[in-house]
Amino acid sequence: MSGRRAEKRVAVVKGDGVGPEVIESALLVLEASSIDLDQVPVDLGFGRWERTGKAMTEEDVDLIKGCDCVLFGAVTTPPDPDYRSVLLTLRKELDLYANIRPFYKGKIDLVIVRENTEGMYTGIEDVDEARATTLRVITRSGSERIAEKACQITSSRRKLTIVHKSNVLKSDSLFLRTCRDTADLWSIPYQDMLVDAAAYNLVIGPEKFDVIVTTNLFGDILSDVAAGIIGGLGLCPSANLGERYALFEPIHGSAPDIAGKGVANPVGAIRSAAMMLEWFGEVEKARRIEVAVNDTLNAGLKTPDLGGYLTTEEVTGAVVKLLRRS
Ligand code: NAI
Ligand code: MG
């Protein structure tokens, strides 16, 4: 093979259910943004497991490691007790320690920065009939790097909120202390909040938050709360960042209840593609996608989950049309 190496090599994992439908939309929007991408399709997930008995292999991981980043749809969890989550494995293999989830609508503009590799999701568990334990691990280095990422994001914004449960969990005292130390070093204005109070305050006054940094499980839950507040899972993108790799995905799952009907909301996947462009340094192109998506939604062009009546294809077409015009 000859020819010029396209600017960025992106592993494209469409996955299962609505995954392929919304990733198709994201790819159309990238094409309309005149982005030179080298796409490497990688087939992972439940469909793959049904066909071959494996949801993902070491070769797949190697293929992905040969790329700059991953654009990921969603995967269905197979009914297999020995199944190890594809996403958890990828987050670990690529050391994607920072899960960044922006949420905005009207006056609400907040970012949840979730630690992605430790906390309750270590997989260190001991289960028998009478007793089951899960080991929650918080390290200084793990807390430090997520706090730094949060401070970096807050430095161009307003204020950091450290969310924890240190009144009960000793492990969270370490998290809180480390985040405070890091915010002091960065001279970032911050407050801290217990996770239950944070859940309450998010519901009654989401516009008061700016950047939230928290541990794995709390971030998982609070980000679904935030998604509900701004109008639904279908709208929300995310970035999973490490030092070397990144993975961009809508926060929703494979939505088997609506898969194949052509009505999945493509906005979360399209915004994930915009986050990917921003990560590449294509800030202006990312911004244009955001504007096109907002204008489309503001014009009432929406899928049924948002109370609209358009298909995935029609909403995508509207965004693409605006991009071609701009
Ligand atoms: P889900 O996010 O797939 O669906 C929850 C609800 O939101 C459903 O009613 C669905 O129709 C709706 N929804 C989700 N995405 C939508 C979209 N783009 N447009 C319109 N409506 C949308 O979560 P659920 O049902 O808990 O999980 C289904 C499968 O997805 C499971 O196998 C689960 O393990 C997997 N999953 C995968 C994730 C990933 O790959 N990142 C994340 C979450 C779940
Ligand atoms: Mg979740």
Side-chain angles (χ1 to χ4, degrees):
M1 281 203 306
S2 67
R4 172 175 79 88
R5 156 99 145 85
E7 252 191 85
K8 292 288 176 194
R9 184 170 288 168
V10 180
V12 179
V13 178
K14 294 186 177 175
D16 306 304
V18 298
E21 302 170 36
V22 298
I23 290 301
E24 184 58 33
S25 297
L27 293 176
L28 287 170
V29 166
L30 287 171
E31 194 187 309
S33 305
S34 317
I35 292 290
D36 193 12
L37 292 179
D38 184 2
Q39 294 176 26
V40 180
V42 186
D43 175 23
L44 301 178
F46 183 49
R48 166 79 175 279
W49 178 82
E50 278 187 314
R51 271 179 284 111
T52 68
K54 290 214 166 95
M56 178 169 73
T57 62
E58 269 173 40
E59 289 76 55
D60 298 324
V61 175
D62 288 343
L63 191 59
I64 288 173
K65 284 184 175 170
C67 298
D68 297 295
C69 69
V70 188
L71 184 61
F72 193 95
V75 290
T76 301
T77 306
D80 172 1
D82 296 327
Y83 175 74
R84 176 143 173 67
S85 159
V86 163
L87 255 180
L88 286 187
T89 307
L90 273 181
R91 282 176 184 160
K92 200 157 225 158
E93 283 283 340
L94 307 179
D95 197 25
L96 304 172
Y97 63 87
N99 192 321
I100 316 292
R101 296 181 168 188
F103 301 92
Y104 62 84
K105 183 193 184 190
K107 284 189 194 150
I108 303 168
D109 179 5
L110 66 100
V111 182
I112 297 183
V113 180
R114 161 187 169 194
E115 203 292 322
N116 228 1
T117 55
E118 47 186 42
M120 284 290 266
Y121 293 21
T122 53
I124 307 172
E125 307 199 287
D126 189 14
V127 179
D128 63 42
E129 282 308 308
R131 189 177 132 99
T133 56
T134 296
L135 189 68
R136 183 179 200 265
V137 177
I138 302 289
T139 65
R140 176 170 277 280
S141 59
S143 304
E144 221 160 54
R145 63 182 186 170
I146 197 67
E148 267 168 21
K149 185 61 78 183
C151 288
Q152 188 193 338
I153 291 169
T154 314
S155 64
S156 60
R157 298 177 56 108
R158 292 180 289 117
K159 174 182 79 181
L160 180 65
T161 303
I162 306 162
V163 171
H164 61 94
K165 188 75 182 176
S166 72
N167 56 339
V168 176
L169 303 171
K170 293 257 171 13
S171 49
D172 258 7
S173 303
L174 176 60
F175 180 75
L176 174 59
R177 207 164 55 237
T178 310
C179 287
R180 279 181 174 153
D181 290 350
T182 310
D184 283 336
L185 270 177
W186 280 69
S187 305
I188 294 287
Y190 65 88
Q191 61 178 350
D192 74 88
M193 202 178 280
L194 293 171
V195 63
D196 36 1
Y200 176 73
N201 286 316
L202 255 183
V203 171
I204 65 164
E207 67 288 344
K208 294 194 189 112
F209 287 91
D210 183 25
V211 180
I212 290 174
V213 65
T214 191
T215 52
N216 210 338
L217 175 64
F218 297 161
D220 192 359
I221 298 167
L222 291 182
S223 47
D224 277 22
V225 172
I229 289 167
I230 68 152
L233 284 172
L235 287 171
C236 308
S238 75
N240 294 264
L241 307 178
E243 295 306 334
R244 173 136 185 234
Y245 299 105
L247 181 150
F248 302 87
E249 53 160 350
I251 76 172
H252 63 77
S254 60
D257 52 335
I258 57 164
K261 296 187 178 152
V263 295
N265 190 341
V267 169
I270 292 172
R271 284 181 167 159
S272 301
M275 287 184 88
M276 180 177 84
L277 293 190
E278 206 180 322
W279 185 73
F280 286 160
E282 296 277 7
V283 179
E284 184 49 32
K285 286 185 172 169
R287 201 193 56 82
R288 270 199 231 157
I289 294 176
E290 280 302 334
V291 170
V293 166
N294 292 339
D295 289 352
T296 301
L297 294 175
N298 290 336
L301 304 173
K302 297 172 185 173
T303 43
D305 56 307
L306 301 177
Y309 54 87
L310 298 190
T311 63
T312 310
E313 208 180 319
E314 287 165 335
V315 171
T316 308
V319 176
V320 165
K321 199 164 149 195
L322 286 176
L323 281 170
R324 294 215 193 276
R325 218 185 281 158
S326 71

